Amino acid sequence: MRTVLRLSSRAHPRPRRLSPGDRLFLTVVVGIPLLALLFFVWLPAVASIGLSFTNWDGLSLSDIHWVGLDNYRQIFTNYPPFWPAVRHNVIWLLFTALLPTPFGVFLAYQLDRKIRFSRVYQTAIFMPMVLSLAVVGFIWEIIYNPDNGLLNGVISAVSSGHHIDWLGDPNLNLWAVLVASGWRHAGYIMILYLAGLKGVDPALKEAAALDGANGRQTFMRVVLPAMKPVNIIILVVTVMESLRAFDLVYVLGGGTGSKPGMELLSLLISDNIIGESSHIGYGSALAVILLLVSLVAIGTFLFQSFRKEDQ
């Protein structure tokens, strides 16, 4: 009997208790980031929701006045830049989802085929992601310069005396910024998808090849379904990058959110909160609207994806 008890105690050893030093270490490692997350992310988010129902100039807490839904009512009915900003955010999302994202996937597929100098190509394509959006904006500002920019220089070589104000024309400036954003976004998607492709079991590709499938059929029918988690991550990243676009438009637009043709929700938020005339309640209401749009867009897709997986 004693032998059996000894064997059972050896088979199921008691869990080792954490020492005071281990507890202190875990408290610091987990507690400090958690407090930072609560203080810098969740507290401002909750405060923004509350302030969206008030009228406040940001100077004194005693000047906060409850206005209920008036801010939202004015935004939807009496704020001219709002609906153009919504339309531009939708255009930004569709453009990013339909052009740079598939192009990044295509680049990842080509580089995964172990072509020569693939490392060089990866570095060159991913280089824009290493740069900050402000630096990317300055680069494209030089390219789009109407007087001595690279793009107008090339056009002038073909058609002399023909200059285009790429960032000043309301019919062109949004598309010019989208091209600059897509140049950076494609490299990001390429790296994400290339990492996912490295994790696909080679046996799946070999089995498809034995069944007579060519490279395109193997990718579309075998590799793409196997990378569903990566596809979800890429879609979420694309939606978030499109809805929170700010830096690039701010630099190329001259630091304003109401420039004709370049209105975006994120820029309207910054104009109302940190602009010359602070309307904290108004800007908070715009931030809540952007938050709800993001949650609806991402939540709907995730719900549909997980429901199909359960079925």
Side-chain angles (χ1 to χ4, degrees):
M1 180 63 71
R2 292 180 179 178
T3 304
V4 174
L5 290 175
R6 289 176 181 175
L7 291 175
S8 62
S9 64
R10 292 177 182 176
H12 302 283
R14 294 181 179 180
R16 186 175 65 88
R17 293 183 178 181
L18 295 176
S19 65
D22 293 336
R23 293 177 183 177
L24 178 61
F25 176 77
L26 289 177
T27 301
V28 173
V29 171
V30 177
I32 293 179
L34 180 60
L35 290 176
L37 179 65
L38 292 175
F39 185 78
F40 292 107
V41 177
W42 288 107
L43 182 60
V46 174
S48 296
I49 295 174
L51 290 172
S52 67
F53 300 102
T54 65
N55 183 13
W56 186 36
D57 57 6
L59 297 178
S60 175
L61 294 177
S62 60
D63 296 334
I64 299 178
H65 302 289
W66 182 267
V67 295
L69 297 174
D70 285 352
N71 289 331
Y72 294 95
R73 190 178 300 111
Q74 292 182 21
I75 287 173
F76 284 105
T77 60
N78 195 27
Y79 189 46
F82 174 71
W83 290 110
V86 173
R87 183 173 67 252
H88 295 160
N89 271 107
V90 173
I91 293 174
W92 195 294
L93 175 60
L94 293 177
F95 177 88
T96 306
L98 296 178
L99 289 179
T101 299
F103 184 62
V105 174
F106 172 76
L107 291 174
Y109 171 71
Q110 294 297 330
L111 294 176
D112 187 56
R113 299 171 64 181
K114 297 181 176 62
I115 60 176
R116 294 183 62 185
F117 308 113
S118 62
R119 299 281 183 177
V120 177
Y121 299 145
Q122 290 179 36
T123 303
I125 297 171
F126 187 69
M127 185 61 69
M129 274 302 304
V130 179
L131 304 175
S132 69
L133 281 169
V135 174
V136 173
F138 288 130
I139 292 173
W140 282 93
E141 193 174 21
I142 296 173
I143 295 175
Y144 287 138
N145 190 286
D147 298 323
N148 51 11
L150 175 63
L151 195 55
N152 276 335
V154 174
I155 295 176
S156 298
V158 179
S159 176
S160 62
H162 189 70
H163 291 273
I164 300 176
D165 190 0
W166 298 97
L167 300 177
D169 189 346
N171 298 319
L172 294 176
N173 52 16
L174 179 65
W175 300 103
V177 177
L178 285 173
V179 170
S181 174
W183 175 65
R184 185 176 187 272
H185 185 75
Y188 187 29
I189 297 301
M190 179 203 70
I191 290 296
L192 287 177
Y193 217 80
L194 191 59
L197 288 172
K198 298 299 183 183
V200 176
D201 189 357
L204 295 175
K205 301 178 183 179
E206 295 174 0
L210 291 176
D211 291 337
N214 56 29
R216 184 183 63 84
Q217 292 173 338
T218 301
F219 178 78
M220 296 300 297
R221 298 182 182 181
V222 178
V223 177
L224 193 62
M227 295 184 61
K228 184 177 180 180
V230 179
N231 296 331
I232 293 176
I233 293 174
I234 286 178
L235 181 69
V236 172
V237 167
T238 300
V239 173
M240 294 304 298
E241 289 286 331
S242 302
L243 294 178
R244 69 182 184 89
F246 174 81
D247 309 61
L248 197 57
V249 187
Y250 189 83
V251 174
L252 294 177
T256 176
S258 56
K259 186 175 183 178
M262 299 179 69
E263 302 93 341
L264 288 176
L265 290 176
S266 58
L267 290 173
L268 297 183
I269 294 170
S270 66
D271 278 357
N272 282 277
I273 293 180
I274 62 175
E276 295 181 359
S277 56
S278 296
H279 299 99
I280 306 298
Y282 219 72
S284 298
L286 288 167
V288 171
I289 293 173
L290 181 58
L291 175 64
L292 292 176
V293 171
S294 304
L295 291 177
V296 169
I298 296 175
T300 301
F301 175 78
L302 293 179
F303 175 77
Q304 294 292 335
S305 300
F306 290 132
R307 189 175 69 172
K308 291 179 180 179
E309 186 175 345
D310 292 339
Q311 290 177 352

